[in-house]
Amino acid sequence: MLVSDLPTPQVLIDRARLFANISRVQDLASSAGISLRPHSKTHKSPTIAQMQIDRGAVGICCAKVGEAEVMVAAGLADIRLAYPINPSNAPRLLALMERGSLSIAIDHLGVARAWSDAMRRANRTLEVLVKVDVGFHRCGIDPDASAAADFIRSLASLPRLRLRGLLSHAGQGYQATSASELCVIAQREAEILTTLREGAARDGIALETISVGATPTLRYSLQQPGITELRPGNYVFFDRTQLSLGAASLGDCAMTVAATVVSKPAADRLILDCGSKTLTTDLARGFGPTPGYGAVLTPDNGTIDETLAIERLSEEHAVVRVTGRTVLEPGDRVRVLPNHACVVANMVDEVLLVEGDGVIDKLPVAARGRIS
């Protein structure tokens, strides 16, 4: 089967690039003596998660319980929920704990106490990590507050919870304007976590896991002392944002969207059939300008066609502004590098594993839409 014979749009994954990304990051982590626990939110595929495990990952991460349920049902047995899971989900977590190893992130003592009570009633022990805010200001305890040490001590004392360590996400790296800024973010993240660990050690609390996770800072986190676990997700595919942040080259980007020119209403405007239902409305971020809703590649897919800019999306239409001349006409096909691979994968039931124009396999996105 050829991609060129299929209806469009289609989400494509280059097999060689996928395998190379998995292997390269695993090799980097292993060489640094750091465990790799990829976040599955990017691919939401048990098949790809198993590829990562087979290559050497110690387990995977999920955000929602529903994603973990899909992964456990597929035989993946070591899962970390790097998300504030509410104790109302205790029955679901207890069912998962019957079939695999599970850990969660906690940043609120009331939530921790409720989990402790739930585990005590079930006569089970739940592994937990303290979620720490390292500058993104989304979830996590304030590491600079005097209450941080008290929080760790209180959590460590709760029955039926086993405190494994500290966990963070330097999401502010996506707003970095230079590689040096990304490096500083990774350094500061490591300093915050190791300082908290040292304080806990003085209180007699051993925190064995120091877990960080973000693809933009990955290359710098590998160099930081004290880090024991990496949780990148996007690296498996990469996308236009990672390209713009210097985390990948175009030749690393495994995901593209095959699209067809469906209209050419003017010399300076084309319409592609990959609208917001395929590309999403996420904008790219990076060290320089990244306008539009994806990058159209040249016919050989080797470079970005700078004369074509996807400037507007509706559900089924991508409006492309043409600067200069283009030979594209209705019926012609292009490939688009999406701004955000994680969201694109969640938009489709399956992605196609390809080699050139040949379709090698279909991979179900089995955990897509698991929002609870």
Side-chain angles (χ1 to χ4, degrees), residues 106-129:
I106 288 182
D107 64 359
H108 191 281
L109 273 181
V111 171
R113 293 188 183 105
W115 275 114
S116 175
D117 291 342
M119 293 299 115
R120 180 176 46 79
R121 289 191 296 269
N123 196 30
R124 298 297 301 268
T125 297
L126 177 63
E127 293 190 347
V128 301
L129 296 92

Side-chain angles (χ1 to χ4, degrees), residues 12-352:
L12 312 177
I13 306 300
D14 184 286
R15 180 173 65 173
R17 294 180 183 185
L18 170 67
F19 289 171
N21 292 340
I22 291 172
S23 293
R24 181 171 59 254
V25 171
Q26 182 63 60
D27 288 344
L28 288 170
S30 297
S31 296
I34 301 175
S35 297
L36 182 65
R37 182 184 292 273
H39 206 308
S40 65
K41 71 182 182 66
T42 297
H43 54 71
K44 293 181 169 61
S45 164
T47 302
I48 295 178
Q50 190 61 57
M51 292 177 188
Q52 294 169 310
I53 297 293
D54 292 344
R55 189 62 185 79
V58 298
I60 62 168
C61 285
C62 296
K64 299 301 185 73
V65 180
E67 294 173 353
E69 288 169 337
V70 171
M71 296 297 174
V72 169
L76 293 144
D78 191 336
I79 295 176
R80 180 155 293 153
L81 289 161
Y83 188 87
I85 304 298
N86 191 274
S88 61
N89 290 290
R92 297 170 71 188
L93 255 69
L94 286 165
L96 289 173
M97 291 168 68
E98 293 292 334
R99 304 169 64 186
S101 174
L102 205 71
S103 57
I104 67 171
I106 288 182
D107 64 359
H108 191 281
L109 273 181
V111 171
R113 293 188 183 105
W115 275 114
S116 175
D117 291 342
M119 293 299 115
R120 180 176 46 79
R121 289 191 296 269
N123 196 30
R124 298 297 301 268
T125 297
L126 177 63
E127 293 190 347
V128 301
L129 296 92
V130 175
K131 183 69 178 285
V132 181
D133 181 1
V134 293
F136 191 34
H137 304 319
R138 189 172 64 184
C139 299
I141 66 168
D142 181 353
D144 298 321
S146 58
D150 292 337
F151 182 92
I152 293 172
R153 284 192 293 268
S154 297
L155 183 55
S157 70
L158 289 173
R160 292 295 175 176
L161 298 184
R162 182 190 172 212
L163 178 55
R164 285 284 304 271
L166 307 174
L167 177 148
S168 65
H169 172 62
Q172 69 271 28
Y174 281 93
Q175 306 301 326
T177 58
S178 67
S180 60
E181 186 178 347
L182 276 175
C183 183
V184 170
I185 289 170
Q187 290 172 338
R188 179 58 182 153
E189 178 180 37
E191 290 168 0
I192 289 170
L193 297 179
T194 53
T195 298
L196 286 175
R197 181 180 60 186
E198 290 163 2
R202 289 192 291 271
D203 289 333
I205 302 168
L207 301 177
E208 61 191 73
T209 301
I210 302 296
S211 177
V212 302
T215 296
T217 50
L218 169 66
R219 59 197 187 274
Y220 303 111
S221 295
L222 285 160
Q223 305 167 11
Q224 305 309 314
I227 301 300
T228 68
E229 179 179 273
L230 298 165
R231 308 184 325 277
N234 190 280
Y235 81 93
V236 73
F237 295 152
F238 289 120
D239 53 27
R240 189 178 177 216
T241 293
Q242 302 299 337
L243 178 65
S244 300
L245 288 167
S249 69
L250 185 58
D252 298 324
C253 295
M255 174 186 282
T256 56
V257 174
T260 299
V261 178
V262 292
S263 179
K264 190 177 182 180
D268 64 350
R269 188 165 76 253
L270 299 172
I271 309 299
L272 305 179
D273 59 0
C274 53
S276 63
K277 288 182 178 179
T278 311
L279 292 179
T280 85
T281 55
D282 282 19
L283 293 172
R285 291 159 284 183
F287 299 156
T290 52
Y293 297 96
V296 181
L297 302 181
T298 55
D300 63 358
N301 300 319
T303 60
I304 292 172
D305 190 335
E306 301 292 352
T307 70
L308 303 175
I310 303 175
E311 62 180 6
R312 182 158 49 95
L313 295 180
S314 50
E315 289 186 21
E316 311 293 355
H317 304 72
V319 180
V320 180
R321 179 171 46 84
V322 181
T323 55
R325 297 172 59 87
T326 180
V327 298
L328 292 173
E329 295 288 342
D332 289 337
R333 295 197 174 207
V334 297
R335 293 196 187 183
V336 177
L337 177 66
N339 288 343
H340 190 179
C342 308
V343 187
V344 171
N346 193 53
M347 303 287 277
V348 293
D349 291 327
E350 62 185 20
V351 297
L352 301 182

